[in-house]
Amino acid sequence: MTLPIETHLLQACVSEPVKPVLDNVVTFGAGHFYISQSDKGEMVMGGDLDGYNSYAQRGNLPTLQHVLTEGIAMMPFLSKLKMLRTWGGIMDMSMDGSPIIDKTHIEGLYLNCGWCYGGFKATPASGWTFAHTIAQDRVHDLNAGYSLNRFNTGHLLDEKGLGTKTWIS
Amino acid sequence: MLHIKCPHCGMRSQNEFSYGGDATVKRPELGKEISDQDWNNFVYNRKSLRGKHWELWQHLSGCRQWIKIQRDTATHEIFKTLKANEEIS
Protein backbone atom coordinates (compact mmCIF):
# COMPACT_ATOMS: atom_id res chain seq x y z
CA MET A 1 0.00 0.00 0.00
CA THR A 2 1.42 3.39 -0.97
CA LEU A 3 0.74 6.06 1.62
CA PRO A 4 1.09 9.86 1.66
CA ILE A 5 3.96 9.40 4.10
CA GLU A 6 7.72 9.76 3.96
CA THR A 7 10.19 8.49 6.53
CA HIS A 8 12.47 11.23 7.81
CA LEU A 9 15.14 11.66 10.41
CA LEU A 10 14.87 13.74 13.60
CA GLN A 11 17.78 14.33 15.95
CA ALA A 12 17.90 15.23 19.61
CA CYS A 13 20.78 15.80 21.97
CA VAL A 14 21.58 16.03 25.66
CA SER A 15 24.22 18.11 27.44
CA GLU A 16 26.33 17.48 30.52
CA PRO A 17 24.37 17.96 33.77
CA VAL A 18 24.16 21.45 35.28
CA LYS A 19 22.43 22.95 38.32
CA PRO A 20 18.66 23.54 37.98
CA VAL A 21 18.02 26.40 35.54
CA LEU A 22 14.83 25.40 33.76
CA ASP A 23 11.69 23.97 35.40
CA ASN A 24 9.65 23.85 32.22
CA VAL A 25 9.72 22.85 28.59
CA VAL A 26 10.53 25.88 26.45
CA THR A 27 10.05 26.08 22.70
CA PHE A 28 11.50 28.63 20.31
CA GLY A 29 8.58 30.05 18.36
CA ALA A 30 10.56 31.83 15.64
CA GLY A 31 12.17 28.60 14.51
CA HIS A 32 12.05 24.99 15.56
CA PHE A 33 13.68 24.25 18.87
CA TYR A 34 12.66 22.85 22.25
CA ILE A 35 14.52 22.45 25.49
CA SER A 36 13.93 21.00 28.93
CA GLN A 37 16.07 19.92 31.86
CA SER A 38 16.07 16.34 33.07
CA ASP A 39 15.95 15.35 36.75
CA LYS A 40 19.68 14.59 36.49
CA GLY A 41 20.34 18.16 35.30
CA GLU A 42 21.05 17.43 31.65
CA MET A 43 19.63 19.85 29.09
CA VAL A 44 17.57 17.91 26.54
CA MET A 45 17.19 19.63 23.16
CA GLY A 46 16.00 19.09 19.63
CA GLY A 47 14.20 20.69 16.75
CA ASP A 48 14.27 20.36 12.98
CA LEU A 49 14.29 17.31 10.76
CA ASP A 50 17.48 16.62 8.82
CA GLY A 51 15.23 17.21 5.81
CA TYR A 52 15.80 14.22 3.55
CA ASN A 53 14.31 10.72 3.48
CA SER A 54 16.16 8.50 5.93
CA TYR A 55 15.90 5.28 7.90
CA ALA A 56 19.44 5.65 9.28
CA GLN A 57 18.54 6.42 12.93
CA ARG A 58 21.53 8.75 13.01
CA GLY A 59 21.84 12.29 11.78
CA ASN A 60 24.35 14.75 10.41
CA LEU A 61 25.89 17.77 12.08
CA PRO A 62 24.61 20.65 9.88
CA THR A 63 21.08 20.24 11.24
CA LEU A 64 22.31 19.96 14.81
CA GLN A 65 24.32 23.15 14.36
CA HIS A 66 21.25 24.91 12.93
CA VAL A 67 19.02 23.74 15.81
CA LEU A 68 21.52 24.66 18.52
CA THR A 69 22.07 28.10 16.97
CA GLU A 70 18.39 28.74 17.65
CA GLY A 71 18.86 27.50 21.20
CA ILE A 72 21.84 29.78 21.82
CA ALA A 73 19.94 32.75 20.38
CA MET A 74 17.31 32.18 23.07
CA MET A 75 19.57 31.04 25.95
CA PRO A 76 23.18 32.14 25.39
CA PHE A 77 24.50 30.08 28.37
CA LEU A 78 23.95 26.94 26.26
CA SER A 79 27.10 27.76 24.27
CA LYS A 80 29.20 26.89 27.35
CA LEU A 81 27.77 23.38 27.71
CA LYS A 82 29.45 20.22 26.47
CA MET A 83 27.25 17.80 24.58
CA LEU A 84 27.01 14.31 26.10
CA ARG A 85 25.27 12.50 23.27
CA THR A 86 23.10 12.91 20.20
CA TRP A 87 20.80 10.45 18.55
CA GLY A 88 18.38 10.24 15.65
CA GLY A 89 15.00 8.61 15.30
CA ILE A 90 12.85 7.99 12.25
CA MET A 91 9.56 9.83 11.85
CA ASP A 92 6.50 8.97 9.78
CA MET A 93 5.93 12.37 8.19
CA SER A 94 2.50 12.80 6.60
CA MET A 95 2.01 15.24 3.76
CA ASP A 96 -0.18 17.72 5.67
CA GLY A 97 1.48 17.19 9.04
CA SER A 98 -1.59 15.58 10.61
CA PRO A 99 -2.01 11.87 11.40
CA ILE A 100 -4.12 9.26 9.63
CA ILE A 101 -6.50 7.24 11.84
CA ASP A 102 -8.69 5.23 9.54
CA LYS A 103 -9.88 1.93 8.06
CA THR A 104 -8.32 0.77 4.80
CA HIS A 105 -9.68 -1.03 1.76
CA ILE A 106 -8.11 -4.23 3.15
CA GLU A 107 -10.43 -5.96 5.62
CA GLY A 108 -8.95 -6.08 9.10
CA LEU A 109 -6.19 -3.56 8.33
CA TYR A 110 -6.42 -0.23 10.16
CA LEU A 111 -4.08 2.74 10.04
CA ASN A 112 -2.87 4.90 12.89
CA CYS A 113 0.18 6.65 11.49
CA GLY A 114 1.65 9.86 10.15
CA TRP A 115 2.17 11.36 13.59
CA CYS A 116 5.24 13.24 12.35
CA TYR A 117 7.50 14.37 15.18
CA GLY A 118 4.76 14.48 17.76
CA GLY A 119 1.67 12.70 18.86
CA PHE A 120 2.74 11.84 22.40
CA LYS A 121 0.23 14.17 24.02
CA ALA A 122 -2.47 12.95 21.66
CA THR A 123 -1.99 9.30 22.63
CA PRO A 124 -5.13 8.94 24.83
CA ALA A 125 -7.42 10.41 22.15
CA SER A 126 -5.74 8.56 19.30
CA GLY A 127 -5.88 5.26 21.20
CA TRP A 128 -9.50 5.75 22.13
CA THR A 129 -10.67 6.68 18.63
CA PHE A 130 -8.53 3.96 17.07
CA ALA A 131 -10.02 1.35 19.44
CA HIS A 132 -13.49 2.57 18.46
CA THR A 133 -12.59 2.33 14.76
CA ILE A 134 -11.39 -1.26 15.14
CA ALA A 135 -14.16 -2.45 17.51
CA GLN A 136 -17.02 -0.94 15.48
CA ASP A 137 -15.32 -1.20 12.08
CA ARG A 138 -16.23 2.43 11.42
CA VAL A 139 -14.57 5.70 12.29
CA HIS A 140 -15.70 7.81 15.23
CA ASP A 141 -16.83 11.42 14.63
CA LEU A 142 -13.64 12.58 16.35
CA ASN A 143 -11.32 10.88 13.85
CA ALA A 144 -13.51 11.18 10.74
CA GLY A 145 -11.37 14.09 9.55
CA TYR A 146 -8.17 12.06 9.87
CA SER A 147 -9.08 9.88 6.92
CA LEU A 148 -6.65 8.50 4.36
CA ASN A 149 -9.04 9.66 1.66
CA ARG A 150 -8.59 13.35 2.54
CA PHE A 151 -5.55 13.48 0.25
CA ASN A 152 -7.73 12.24 -2.61
CA THR A 153 -10.54 14.70 -2.01
CA GLY A 154 -8.40 17.70 -1.04
CA HIS A 155 -9.83 18.00 2.48
CA LEU A 156 -6.41 18.39 4.06
CA LEU A 157 -6.19 19.36 7.72
CA ASP A 158 -4.87 22.78 8.58
CA GLU A 159 -3.72 22.24 12.14
CA LYS A 160 -0.32 23.93 11.95
CA GLY A 161 1.08 20.44 11.58
CA LEU A 162 4.42 20.21 9.84
CA GLY A 163 4.71 17.49 7.23
CA THR A 164 7.52 16.42 4.95
CA LYS A 165 8.15 19.90 3.53
CA THR A 166 8.80 21.73 6.77
CA TRP A 167 10.74 24.50 5.06
CA ILE A 168 7.61 25.59 3.18
CA SER A 169 5.42 25.97 6.26
CA MET B 1 27.97 15.47 6.89
CA LEU B 2 26.93 14.29 3.45
CA HIS B 3 29.37 14.98 0.63
CA ILE B 4 27.51 15.39 -2.63
CA LYS B 5 29.18 15.36 -6.02
CA CYS B 6 27.39 18.02 -8.04
CA PRO B 7 27.62 17.04 -11.74
CA HIS B 8 28.39 20.70 -12.51
CA CYS B 9 30.70 21.75 -9.64
CA GLY B 10 32.22 18.55 -8.19
CA MET B 11 32.32 17.37 -4.58
CA ARG B 12 30.69 19.82 -2.16
CA SER B 13 29.39 19.69 1.38
CA GLN B 14 25.75 19.07 2.23
CA ASN B 15 25.47 22.63 3.57
CA GLU B 16 25.30 23.96 0.01
CA PHE B 17 22.31 21.80 -0.98
CA SER B 18 18.61 21.67 -0.27
CA TYR B 19 16.39 18.64 -0.65
CA GLY B 20 13.60 18.23 -3.20
CA GLY B 21 12.16 14.76 -2.60
CA ASP B 22 11.58 11.64 -4.68
CA ALA B 23 12.97 12.09 -8.22
CA THR B 24 10.96 9.26 -9.77
CA VAL B 25 7.57 10.95 -9.41
CA LYS B 26 6.23 12.00 -12.81
CA ARG B 27 3.79 14.85 -13.32
CA PRO B 28 0.58 13.74 -15.11
CA GLU B 29 0.58 14.77 -18.76
CA LEU B 30 -0.83 18.24 -19.47
CA GLY B 31 -4.05 18.61 -21.45
CA LYS B 32 -5.34 15.15 -20.58
CA GLU B 33 -8.17 14.10 -18.27
CA ILE B 34 -6.37 13.13 -15.04
CA SER B 35 -8.12 11.12 -12.34
CA ASP B 36 -8.07 12.24 -8.69
CA GLN B 37 -6.08 9.09 -7.92
CA ASP B 38 -3.37 10.03 -10.44
CA TRP B 39 -3.11 13.54 -8.99
CA ASN B 40 -2.99 12.02 -5.51
CA ASN B 41 -0.12 9.75 -6.57
CA PHE B 42 1.78 12.69 -8.04
CA VAL B 43 1.24 15.17 -5.22
CA TYR B 44 1.10 13.06 -2.06
CA ASN B 45 1.76 9.32 -2.33
CA ARG B 46 5.41 8.27 -1.99
CA LYS B 47 7.19 4.93 -1.95
CA SER B 48 9.46 6.14 0.90
CA LEU B 49 12.02 3.44 0.11
CA ARG B 50 14.44 1.96 2.61
CA GLY B 51 17.58 1.46 0.53
CA LYS B 52 18.54 2.97 -2.81
CA HIS B 53 16.45 6.07 -3.42
CA TRP B 54 16.57 8.48 -6.39
CA GLU B 55 15.94 12.00 -5.16
CA LEU B 56 16.14 15.62 -6.24
CA TRP B 57 18.50 18.09 -4.60
CA GLN B 58 19.23 21.69 -5.49
CA HIS B 59 22.78 23.08 -5.32
CA LEU B 60 21.31 26.18 -3.72
CA SER B 61 24.54 27.84 -2.53
CA GLY B 62 26.48 26.77 -5.61
CA CYS B 63 25.39 26.62 -9.23
CA ARG B 64 21.69 26.61 -8.18
CA GLN B 65 20.97 23.71 -10.51
CA TRP B 66 18.60 20.89 -9.61
CA ILE B 67 20.32 17.50 -9.68
CA LYS B 68 19.35 13.86 -9.17
CA ILE B 69 21.07 11.71 -6.56
CA GLN B 70 20.87 8.01 -5.85
CA ARG B 71 21.37 7.62 -2.12
CA ASP B 72 20.84 4.78 0.35
CA THR B 73 18.27 5.96 2.90
CA ALA B 74 19.53 3.43 5.47
CA THR B 75 23.28 4.18 5.27
CA HIS B 76 23.32 7.66 3.59
CA GLU B 77 25.81 6.31 1.04
CA ILE B 78 25.60 8.19 -2.28
CA PHE B 79 26.05 6.06 -5.41
CA LYS B 80 25.37 8.31 -8.40
CA THR B 81 24.56 11.90 -9.25
CA LEU B 82 22.98 13.10 -12.48
CA LYS B 83 22.05 16.41 -14.05
CA ALA B 84 18.32 17.17 -13.81
CA ASN B 85 17.73 16.45 -17.50
CA GLU B 86 19.54 13.10 -17.48
CA GLU B 87 17.30 10.05 -17.30
CA ILE B 88 17.59 7.63 -14.39
CA SER B 89 18.89 4.36 -15.84
Side-chain angles (χ1 to χ4, degrees):
Chain A
M1 225 178 135
T2 309
L3 294 173
I5 288 194
E6 277 182 355
T7 302
H8 280 251
L9 164 68
L10 179 69
Q11 295 188 78
C13 56
V14 59
S15 78
E16 60 186 334
V18 288
K19 286 182 179 177
V21 286
L22 203 58
D23 61 356
N24 225 323
V25 179
V26 178
T27 62
F28 180 70
H32 222 178
F33 175 79
Y34 65 85
I35 184 167
S36 64
Q37 188 169 24
S38 75
D39 289 345
K40 288 183 284 183
E42 301 153 338
M43 307 305 290
V44 185
M45 297 161 275
D48 277 307
L49 293 177
D50 270 41
Y52 44 83
N53 289 46
S54 177
Y55 288 82
Q57 291 172 282
R58 61 177 177 78
N60 278 312
L61 287 175
T63 304
L64 219 48
Q65 184 183 26
H66 170 72
V67 166
L68 293 173
T69 302
E70 292 172 307
I72 290 166
M74 186 167 64
M75 297 176 178
F77 78 94
L78 294 176
S79 67
K80 305 286 183 198
L81 297 183
K82 291 189 177 67
M83 216 51 82
L84 272 191
R85 58 183 177 276
T86 70
W87 63 95
I90 57 174
M91 306 287 139
D92 46 336
M93 303 301 292
S94 71
M95 292 289 162
D96 64 356
S98 293
I100 299 163
I101 313 172
D102 201 5
K103 296 167 58 172
T104 67
H105 66 281
I106 299 165
E107 199 185 332
L109 180 66
Y110 302 87
L111 287 178
N112 190 346
C113 62
W115 283 93
C116 300
Y117 333 53
F120 310 107
K121 291 190 286 291
T123 302
S126 97
W128 192 82
T129 52
F130 194 46
H132 179 279
T133 305
I134 295 171
Q136 311 260 338
D137 198 34
R138 63 185 168 84
V139 296
H140 190 273
D141 282 349
L142 290 173
N143 64 323
Y146 296 91
S147 70
L148 177 59
N149 199 40
R150 71 178 186 268
F151 297 93
N152 240 336
T153 59
H155 292 89
L156 300 191
L157 294 169
D158 181 14
E159 298 186 305
K160 182 72 177 70
L162 294 172
T164 56
K165 295 175 179 59
T166 49
W167 56 93
I168 292 174
S169 306
Chain B
M1 175 88 77
L2 300 178
H3 286 107
I4 299 173
K5 189 178 168 191
C6 172
H8 306 280
C9 313
M11 199 63 91
R12 297 298 178 94
S13 99
Q14 171 195 344
N15 285 332
E16 298 186 8
F17 294 84
S18 74
Y19 185 65
D22 190 333
T24 63
V25 178
K26 287 260 190 296
R27 193 183 201 283
E29 213 171 317
L30 284 175
K32 288 209 169 151
E33 195 63 34
I34 312 293
S35 70
D36 284 351
Q37 186 59 50
D38 285 343
W39 276 120
N40 200 12
N41 289 340
F42 168 64
V43 181
Y44 298 120
N45 289 338
R46 294 292 178 266
K47 293 190 198 110
S48 193
L49 297 176
R50 187 183 202 278
K52 287 183 179 180
H53 185 243
W54 276 104
E55 54 204 19
L56 294 166
W57 288 73
Q58 188 188 12
H59 195 183
L60 197 69
S61 306
C63 61
R64 302 187 64 81
Q65 296 297 308
W66 283 90
I67 60 173
K68 292 173 185 168
I69 294 180
Q70 189 189 39
R71 186 181 57 93
D72 193 312
T73 57
T75 65
H76 293 168
E77 183 181 0
I78 293 171
F79 302 101
K80 287 178 193 162
T81 52
L82 295 174
K83 293 173 185 170
N85 60 358
E86 288 176 324
E87 286 296 322
I88 296 164
S89 53

